[in-house]
Amino acid sequence: RMPVSVPSADRRQRALAAFSLSFLSLALSITAFSSSYWCEGTRKVAKPFCTGHPCMRSNSPDASNSSAVQYVWETGDDKFIDQKFHAGIWYSCEEIINEEGEKCRSFISLTPAADRGVFWLSIVAEFLYIILLLTGAILMSVELCYYSAAIDGLKINAFSAVVTVLAGLLGMVAHMMYTTVFQMTVNLGPEDWRPHTWDYGWSYCLAWASFACCMAAAVTTINKYTKTILEFKNKRKTLARNLKVKYKISDH
């Protein structure tokens, strides 16, 4: 068997690009998974009853009367206030009115019972997504540092491509399942949690950015594998052609 040359600089650059994308995808997914800013919004809540001077808006002689303060506070549009909240896979946190800090509760406790199975599936899929991303990154780093045989590196390359593609599919399914569960919780969740307005937060954007980087790493890895195979076939044809020429020369 003819020895195979060490991978070219171009193949090494493609391997480094795939590893960088895979590592970036892993970092983004861990950050998004551990945060609670997948969705952000506000809730309409009643203002707490106020008896102090800052709450009074009337200059009437009865302004110091508690009944007058209560009348001013509980009528009109000023009865409600927007309470900010943010939610993730693990927690949903709401700001405390007239105080600093937040109060948080488990998101699973807010999810409707009929959708908790889908919610747990999304968590399992997220875990598997991160594990497969880590496996793919380790394989790519091994391939990047493997100099002795290009054939062995090609096998590692093929396996890392399969692992990264599977990770991307799992990540897409996990993100979509969580989106569905959150929307169902908005419609059917507890009355004291349902948001008035909401939108997706920066963690949600990071999760999909992680998916995009994962698929880019998979495409780069598959492209590297395909180009390497074509290079080997071309070298084999060139070698066979040269051998034929040598045999013809020796026969003459």
Side-chain angles (χ1 to χ4, degrees), residues 87-92 105-123 177-190 192-193:
I89 292 179
W90 303 109
Y91 294 103
S92 175
R105 42 186 166 172
S106 173
F107 188 76
I108 187 64
S109 64
L110 305 172
T111 307
D115 298 311
R116 288 181 182 175
V118 179
F119 178 74
W120 283 113
L121 281 176
S122 70
I123 292 179
M177 284 194 297
Y178 177 80
T179 303
T180 302
V181 170
F182 184 83
Q183 291 176 350
M184 294 300 295
T185 306
V186 168
N187 296 325
L188 304 175
D192 64 341
W193 178 85

Side-chain angles (χ1 to χ4, degrees), residues 40-54:
E40 300 177 78
T42 59
R43 295 179 56 243
K44 286 285 187 182
V45 296
K47 288 183 177 179
F49 180 71
C50 183
T51 57
H53 175 71

Side-chain angles (χ1 to χ4, degrees), residues 47-50 68-79:
K47 288 183 177 179
F49 180 71
C50 183
V69 175
Q70 184 176 2
Y71 175 80
V72 172
W73 198 255
E74 293 187 354
T75 57
D77 294 334
D78 285 340
K79 183 178 180 181

Side-chain angles (χ1 to χ4, degrees), residues 58-115:
S58 174
N59 294 324
S60 64
D62 295 332
S64 59
N65 192 330
S66 61
S67 61
V69 175
Q70 184 176 2
Y71 175 80
V72 172
W73 198 255
E74 293 187 354
T75 57
D77 294 334
D78 285 340
K79 183 178 180 181
F80 295 97
I81 189 174
D82 289 333
Q83 181 187 42
K84 295 181 181 179
F85 83 97
H86 55 89
I89 292 179
W90 303 109
Y91 294 103
S92 175
C93 298
E94 308 161 10
E95 67 175 349
I96 302 175
I97 304 300
N98 295 334
E99 294 182 21
E100 294 183 358
E102 295 177 327
K103 60 177 182 178
C104 299
R105 42 186 166 172
S106 173
F107 188 76
I108 187 64
S109 64
L110 305 172
T111 307
D115 298 311

Side-chain angles (χ1 to χ4, degrees), residues 82-220:
D82 289 333
Q83 181 187 42
K84 295 181 181 179
F85 83 97
H86 55 89
I89 292 179
W90 303 109
Y91 294 103
S92 175
C93 298
E94 308 161 10
E95 67 175 349
I96 302 175
I97 304 300
N98 295 334
E99 294 182 21
E100 294 183 358
E102 295 177 327
K103 60 177 182 178
C104 299
R105 42 186 166 172
S106 173
F107 188 76
I108 187 64
S109 64
L110 305 172
T111 307
D115 298 311
R116 288 181 182 175
V118 179
F119 178 74
W120 283 113
L121 281 176
S122 70
I123 292 179
V124 172
E126 287 284 354
F127 267 119
L128 291 177
Y129 172 56
I130 293 175
I131 291 172
L132 288 177
L133 279 178
L134 178 61
T135 304
I138 292 174
L139 289 173
M140 290 177 189
S141 65
V142 170
E143 179 197 358
L144 197 60
C145 301
Y146 205 99
Y147 297 103
S148 60
I151 293 297
D152 293 338
L154 195 62
K155 293 177 181 178
I156 297 175
N157 181 234
F159 190 56
S160 62
V162 173
V163 169
T164 308
V165 170
L166 288 177
L169 293 176
L170 270 175
M172 180 182 66
V173 171
H175 302 345
M176 292 178 66
M177 284 194 297
Y178 177 80
T179 303
T180 302
V181 170
F182 184 83
Q183 291 176 350
M184 294 300 295
T185 306
V186 168
N187 296 325
L188 304 175
E191 289 286 347
D192 64 341
W193 178 85
R194 293 183 193 177
H196 178 67
T197 59
W198 66 276
D199 202 353
Y200 297 110
W202 60 266
S203 297
Y204 189 81
C205 297
L206 284 186
W208 283 107
S210 170
F211 166 75
C213 290
C214 174
M215 297 311 296
V219 170
T220 304

